[in-house]
């Protein structure tokens, strides 16, 4: 565990004795600015920093939950009938593969 302020970089010693430099993004950093995200990634790469924080997000892009029509219910709470594909679906997929 390490605590350091926004915008600062700190060296952290790992369990095996190796060291990494963590760089926390600034408080006023805008994760919706794609070009700024590219710049900060290039700078981190050049200085061998591991960035922490939200680097980039496109608020207009649908989430994976929306794209794949995933349920809000955890999978371990779904009944078997909702988890297991119908035999016709399995046969269709198998026919496409073989």
């Amino acid at each position: 565990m390490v605590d350091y302020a926004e915008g600062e970089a700190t060296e952290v010693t790992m369990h095996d004795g190796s060291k990494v430099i963590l760089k926390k993004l600034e408080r006023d950093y805008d994760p919706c600015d794609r070009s700024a995200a590219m710049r900060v990634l290039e700078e981190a790469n050049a200085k061998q920093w591991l960035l922490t924080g939200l680097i980039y997000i496109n608020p207009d892009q649908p989430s994976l939950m929306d794209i794949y029509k995933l349920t809000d219910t955890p999978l371990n709470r779904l009944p078997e009938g909702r988890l297991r594909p119908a035999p016709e679906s399995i046969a269709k997929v198998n026919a496409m593969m073989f």
Side-chain angles (χ1 to χ4, degrees), residues 12-96:
V12 176
T13 302
M14 304 300 283
H15 67 284
D16 62 356
S18 62
K19 297 180 186 297
V20 296
I21 299 174
L22 301 178
K23 167 79 163 71
K24 193 178 285 191
L25 294 171
E26 290 80 7
R27 179 174 286 280
D28 62 347
Y29 176 78
D30 179 11
C32 296
D33 184 345
R34 186 175 178 160
S35 58
M38 294 302 295
R39 281 192 302 276
V40 77
L41 286 170
E42 287 180 12
E43 179 185 16
N45 184 48
K47 295 182 178 181
Q48 297 184 335
W49 291 339
L50 293 176
L51 292 178
T52 63
L54 180 59
I55 298 169
Y56 178 71
I57 187 167
N58 180 351
D60 299 324
Q61 177 71 28
S63 72
L64 288 177
M65 295 285 287
D66 295 333
I67 292 170
Y68 293 111
K69 298 179 176 78
L70 300 176
T71 178
D72 289 333
T73 306
L75 295 178
N76 67 350
R77 301 283 186 242
L78 291 175
E80 183 179 341
R82 290 202 46 210
L83 289 172
R84 188 175 301 235
E88 302 81 34
S89 297
I90 294 174
K92 184 177 177 182
V93 169
N94 285 340
M96 291 176 4

